[in-house]
Amino acid sequence: MNPAIEVAGRPIGPDQPLFLIAGPCVVEDHTATLAIAEALVEMTTARNIPLIFKASFDKANRSSARSYRGPGMEAGLKALAAVRERLGVAVITDVHEYTPLDEVASVVDWLQTPAFLCRQTDFIQAVAAQGRAVNIKKGQFLAPWDMANVVAKARETGNDRITVCERGVSFGYNNLLADMRSLAVMRATQAPVVFDATHSVQLPGGQGHASGGQREHVPVLARAAVAAGVSGVFMETHPHPEQARSDGPNSWPLDRLPALLDTLIDLDAVVKRHGYAESDLPKES
């Protein structure tokens, strides 16, 4: 039985229509953040897609100490609160081991745990204990079936509002590999599965001082993930990715997002209308 998780007042899950987590990698400034959120609300409302707006106030896992991490908690949460209050949209942000979780949880609707921290038991349970929905990113070093233990840790707090997110696995030498089989495997956690289409094309540390990326492959992987049967898609987007202060090379251009969403919606409807042929097959080793 899948736990009841809602986005914009609507249930999400493997048998529900696709939902979207989207926004810039980090809060760059108050005005720009609000403008991106307004554009996303407009395009998802027109397509009847549940939206969670995403932006980070601090990104601790930067390639270089000189890389932009965000405006900090006070300014970042103020911008996210404005998005939530003015636009009436759910908001998600990253938290870290040192984050005052109660302060962040009082402002946002969802909390997101970084992939590198998915094995940190105390951290995962502290985040889940806030009572907010939690998107747990699968570590680049983890097999998909290992996420069952991570979800179980989170649920021990009494919080069933958990989603699991694939963002690619380490393939060595600044590259990641997106294995579509992992999306089906993680459905066994009974948590809605999200595919991160933009971090999966990231080239970690690929520019030496910063991460690179291959945004031209975002639509390819997003289409494949929806065809594999995910509950939601995560995409970082920016009006001018080449000017973005963080993760620009793997961000999808905001003005090209509507056309991609139209394709994903069509694919999602076909897949969920016919169901998952693999779901009742015996598992082979």
Tab-separated table of all heavy atoms in Angstrom, residues 14 144-145 164 166 179-191 193-195 224-225 227-231 276-279 283:
chain	number	residue	atom	x	y	z
A	14	PRO	N	2.683	5.934	-8.205
A	14	PRO	CA	2.936	5.267	-9.493
A	14	PRO	C	1.707	5.153	-10.375
A	14	PRO	O	1.836	4.939	-11.587
A	14	PRO	CB	3.449	3.886	-9.075
A	14	PRO	CG	2.943	3.696	-7.684
A	14	PRO	CD	2.916	5.047	-7.068
A	144	PRO	N	20.036	0.660	-6.275
A	144	PRO	CA	18.656	1.084	-6.029
A	144	PRO	C	17.943	0.303	-4.941
A	144	PRO	O	17.131	0.857	-4.205
A	144	PRO	CB	17.984	0.901	-7.401
A	144	PRO	CG	18.857	-0.028	-8.164
A	144	PRO	CD	20.236	0.236	-7.679
A	145	TRP	N	18.232	-0.999	-4.815
A	145	TRP	CA	17.562	-1.794	-3.788
A	145	TRP	C	18.006	-1.399	-2.382
A	145	TRP	O	17.293	-1.649	-1.414
A	145	TRP	CB	17.770	-3.290	-4.027
A	145	TRP	CG	19.182	-3.664	-4.415
A	145	TRP	CD1	20.233	-3.891	-3.589
A	145	TRP	CD2	19.669	-3.820	-5.759
A	145	TRP	NE1	21.359	-4.185	-4.310
A	145	TRP	CE2	21.041	-4.163	-5.652
A	145	TRP	CE3	19.083	-3.730	-7.021
A	145	TRP	CZ2	21.834	-4.393	-6.770
A	145	TRP	CZ3	19.861	-3.963	-8.127
A	145	TRP	CH2	21.227	-4.297	-8.000
A	164	VAL	N	11.533	8.949	-3.117
A	164	VAL	CA	12.930	8.596	-3.387
A	164	VAL	C	13.295	9.113	-4.774
A	164	VAL	O	12.480	9.073	-5.696
A	164	VAL	CB	13.171	7.082	-3.279
A	164	VAL	CG1	13.047	6.629	-1.841
A	164	VAL	CG2	12.205	6.288	-4.160
A	166	GLU	N	16.171	9.340	-7.972
A	166	GLU	CA	17.364	8.892	-8.705
A	166	GLU	C	18.020	10.080	-9.381
A	166	GLU	O	17.350	10.876	-10.037
A	166	GLU	CB	16.951	7.856	-9.747
A	166	GLU	CG	18.064	7.437	-10.702
A	166	GLU	CD	19.191	6.707	-10.004
A	166	GLU	OE1	19.087	5.476	-9.846
A	166	GLU	OE2	20.172	7.390	-9.632
A	179	ASP	N	20.588	4.626	-14.879
A	179	ASP	CA	20.105	3.276	-15.165
A	179	ASP	C	18.591	3.262	-14.956
A	179	ASP	O	18.108	3.377	-13.830
A	179	ASP	CB	20.787	2.281	-14.224
A	179	ASP	CG	20.395	0.834	-14.489
A	179	ASP	OD1	19.536	0.598	-15.363
A	179	ASP	OD2	20.938	-0.054	-13.814
A	180	MET	N	17.832	3.135	-16.025
A	180	MET	CA	16.381	3.188	-15.928
A	180	MET	C	15.801	2.018	-15.131
A	180	MET	O	14.694	2.109	-14.602
A	180	MET	CB	15.762	3.231	-17.330
A	180	MET	CG	16.105	4.478	-18.106
A	180	MET	SD	15.460	5.988	-17.303
A	180	MET	CE	16.904	7.066	-17.406
A	181	ARG	N	16.550	0.929	-15.012
A	181	ARG	CA	16.066	-0.191	-14.201
A	181	ARG	C	15.905	0.203	-12.742
A	181	ARG	O	15.037	-0.329	-12.034
A	181	ARG	CB	17.030	-1.378	-14.307
A	181	ARG	CG	17.120	-1.993	-15.694
A	181	ARG	CD	18.204	-3.054	-15.747
A	181	ARG	NE	19.518	-2.486	-15.437
A	181	ARG	CZ	20.647	-3.207	-15.368
A	181	ARG	NH1	20.617	-4.514	-15.591
A	181	ARG	NH2	21.791	-2.628	-15.096
A	182	SER	N	16.737	1.136	-12.286
A	182	SER	CA	16.677	1.529	-10.877
A	182	SER	C	15.335	2.146	-10.514
A	182	SER	O	14.879	2.050	-9.377
A	182	SER	CB	17.809	2.513	-10.544
A	182	SER	OG	17.548	3.799	-11.078
A	183	LEU	N	14.683	2.780	-11.481
A	183	LEU	CA	13.395	3.421	-11.216
A	183	LEU	C	12.329	2.381	-10.905
A	183	LEU	O	11.489	2.577	-10.024
A	183	LEU	CB	12.992	4.280	-12.416
A	183	LEU	CG	14.019	5.358	-12.800
A	183	LEU	CD1	13.610	6.036	-14.106
A	183	LEU	CD2	14.183	6.374	-11.688
A	184	ALA	N	12.365	1.269	-11.612
A	184	ALA	CA	11.435	0.178	-11.326
A	184	ALA	C	11.784	-0.502	-10.015
A	184	ALA	O	10.906	-0.840	-9.212
A	184	ALA	CB	11.452	-0.830	-12.473
A	185	VAL	N	13.080	-0.698	-9.774
A	185	VAL	CA	13.519	-1.349	-8.530
A	185	VAL	C	13.076	-0.535	-7.316
A	185	VAL	O	12.587	-1.086	-6.322
A	185	VAL	CB	15.053	-1.527	-8.531
A	185	VAL	CG1	15.541	-1.982	-7.153
A	185	VAL	CG2	15.479	-2.523	-9.597
A	186	MET	N	13.214	0.778	-7.390
A	186	MET	CA	12.886	1.614	-6.229
A	186	MET	C	11.393	1.718	-5.960
A	186	MET	O	10.993	2.131	-4.876
A	186	MET	CB	13.518	2.998	-6.380
A	186	MET	CG	15.020	2.988	-6.215
A	186	MET	SD	15.739	4.613	-5.855
A	186	MET	CE	15.402	5.472	-7.387
A	187	ARG	N	10.557	1.334	-6.925
A	187	ARG	CA	9.124	1.298	-6.640
A	187	ARG	C	8.806	0.303	-5.529
A	187	ARG	O	7.789	0.424	-4.834
A	187	ARG	CB	8.324	0.940	-7.897
A	187	ARG	CG	8.202	2.070	-8.890
A	187	ARG	CD	6.983	1.896	-9.802
A	187	ARG	NE	7.036	0.689	-10.599
A	187	ARG	CZ	7.549	0.623	-11.840
A	187	ARG	NH1	8.037	1.708	-12.418
A	187	ARG	NH2	7.553	-0.508	-12.499
A	188	ALA	N	9.706	-0.672	-5.317
A	188	ALA	CA	9.494	-1.664	-4.261
A	188	ALA	C	9.591	-1.054	-2.865
A	188	ALA	O	9.165	-1.682	-1.885
A	188	ALA	CB	10.508	-2.801	-4.403
A	189	THR	N	10.128	0.142	-2.749
A	189	THR	CA	10.171	0.814	-1.444
A	189	THR	C	8.790	1.291	-1.019
A	189	THR	O	8.616	1.719	0.122
A	189	THR	CB	11.106	2.043	-1.484
A	189	THR	OG1	10.566	3.024	-2.386
A	189	THR	CG2	12.514	1.657	-1.918
A	190	GLN	N	7.808	1.241	-1.930
A	190	GLN	CA	6.458	1.756	-1.700
A	190	GLN	C	6.448	3.270	-1.502
A	190	GLN	O	5.487	3.836	-0.973
A	190	GLN	CB	5.804	1.066	-0.490
A	190	GLN	CG	5.643	-0.439	-0.651
A	190	GLN	CD	4.734	-0.799	-1.827
A	190	GLN	OE1	3.588	-0.369	-1.886
A	190	GLN	NE2	5.254	-1.576	-2.759
A	191	ALA	N	7.525	3.925	-1.922
A	191	ALA	CA	7.590	5.386	-1.923
A	191	ALA	C	7.547	5.857	-3.372
A	191	ALA	O	8.151	5.227	-4.248
A	191	ALA	CB	8.876	5.874	-1.251
A	193	VAL	N	8.529	7.384	-6.744
A	193	VAL	CA	9.871	7.524	-7.312
A	193	VAL	C	9.940	8.778	-8.178
A	193	VAL	O	9.065	9.027	-9.015
A	193	VAL	CB	10.243	6.283	-8.155
A	193	VAL	CG1	11.620	6.448	-8.794
A	193	VAL	CG2	10.215	5.023	-7.281
A	194	VAL	N	11.001	9.544	-7.971
A	194	VAL	CA	11.251	10.777	-8.727
A	194	VAL	C	12.542	10.595	-9.518
A	194	VAL	O	13.508	10.021	-9.006
A	194	VAL	CB	11.386	11.983	-7.772
A	194	VAL	CG1	11.674	13.257	-8.553
A	194	VAL	CG2	10.125	12.142	-6.931
A	195	PHE	N	12.553	11.094	-10.740
A	195	PHE	CA	13.788	11.066	-11.527
A	195	PHE	C	14.312	12.483	-11.695
A	195	PHE	O	13.604	13.372	-12.163
A	195	PHE	CB	13.569	10.450	-12.901
A	195	PHE	CG	14.825	10.421	-13.743
A	195	PHE	CD1	15.884	9.606	-13.395
A	195	PHE	CD2	14.950	11.225	-14.867
A	195	PHE	CE1	17.052	9.588	-14.148
A	195	PHE	CE2	16.108	11.207	-15.633
A	195	PHE	CZ	17.164	10.387	-15.275
A	224	ALA	N	12.831	8.926	-21.139
A	224	ALA	CA	13.068	7.527	-20.772
A	224	ALA	C	12.543	7.225	-19.376
A	224	ALA	O	11.937	6.172	-19.139
A	224	ALA	CB	14.563	7.213	-20.852
A	225	ALA	N	12.756	8.148	-18.451
A	225	ALA	CA	12.313	7.943	-17.065
A	225	ALA	C	10.792	7.892	-16.970
A	225	ALA	O	10.227	7.051	-16.262
A	225	ALA	CB	12.862	9.045	-16.171
A	227	ALA	N	8.787	7.053	-19.343
A	227	ALA	CA	8.399	5.787	-19.975
A	227	ALA	C	8.631	4.600	-19.040
A	227	ALA	O	7.925	3.600	-19.104
A	227	ALA	CB	9.163	5.593	-21.277
A	228	ALA	N	9.629	4.713	-18.161
A	228	ALA	CA	9.914	3.647	-17.202
A	228	ALA	C	8.887	3.614	-16.080
A	228	ALA	O	8.764	2.595	-15.386
A	228	ALA	CB	11.319	3.823	-16.615
A	229	GLY	N	8.148	4.709	-15.890
A	229	GLY	CA	7.076	4.723	-14.907
A	229	GLY	C	7.419	5.384	-13.597
A	229	GLY	O	7.393	4.745	-12.541
A	230	VAL	N	7.756	6.679	-13.618
A	230	VAL	CA	8.036	7.417	-12.390
A	230	VAL	C	6.808	8.203	-11.946
A	230	VAL	O	5.889	8.446	-12.730
A	230	VAL	CB	9.238	8.375	-12.556
A	230	VAL	CG1	10.522	7.603	-12.755
A	230	VAL	CG2	8.997	9.360	-13.695
A	231	SER	N	6.817	8.601	-10.687
A	231	SER	CA	5.728	9.434	-10.168
A	231	SER	C	5.963	10.903	-10.465
A	231	SER	O	5.014	11.668	-10.646
A	231	SER	CB	5.584	9.229	-8.660
A	231	SER	OG	5.261	7.889	-8.361
A	276	TYR	N	2.220	-1.495	-15.497
A	276	TYR	CA	3.612	-1.947	-15.534
A	276	TYR	C	3.662	-3.461	-15.729
A	276	TYR	O	3.388	-4.227	-14.800
A	276	TYR	CB	4.329	-1.543	-14.244
A	276	TYR	CG	4.176	-0.071	-13.927
A	276	TYR	CD1	3.484	0.345	-12.789
A	276	TYR	CD2	4.699	0.894	-14.782
A	276	TYR	CE1	3.334	1.693	-12.507
A	276	TYR	CE2	4.552	2.241	-14.515
A	276	TYR	CZ	3.868	2.630	-13.377
A	276	TYR	OH	3.705	3.975	-13.100
A	277	ALA	N	4.024	-3.862	-16.923
A	277	ALA	CA	4.035	-5.299	-17.261
A	277	ALA	C	5.020	-6.082	-16.385
A	277	ALA	O	4.843	-7.281	-16.166
A	277	ALA	CB	4.394	-5.471	-18.734
A	278	GLU	N	6.048	-5.411	-15.889
A	278	GLU	CA	7.080	-6.107	-15.121
A	278	GLU	C	6.685	-6.344	-13.675
A	278	GLU	O	7.345	-7.094	-12.943
A	278	GLU	CB	8.385	-5.299	-15.160
A	278	GLU	CG	8.367	-3.998	-14.362
A	278	GLU	CD	7.760	-2.820	-15.122
A	278	GLU	OE1	7.166	-3.031	-16.195
A	278	GLU	OE2	7.897	-1.684	-14.639
A	279	SER	N	5.608	-5.705	-13.214
A	279	SER	CA	5.313	-5.691	-11.784
A	279	SER	C	4.969	-7.063	-11.206
A	279	SER	O	5.175	-7.311	-10.020
A	279	SER	CB	4.182	-4.705	-11.492
A	279	SER	OG	3.011	-5.099	-12.190
A	283	LYS	N	11.306	-12.158	-9.880
A	283	LYS	CA	12.579	-11.438	-9.986
A	283	LYS	C	13.702	-12.429	-10.145
A	283	LYS	O	13.844	-13.382	-9.370
A	283	LYS	CB	12.805	-10.561	-8.751
A	283	LYS	CG	11.787	-9.412	-8.680
A	283	LYS	CD	12.022	-8.577	-7.450
A	283	LYS	CE	11.127	-7.351	-7.472
A	283	LYS	NZ	9.699	-7.678	-7.584
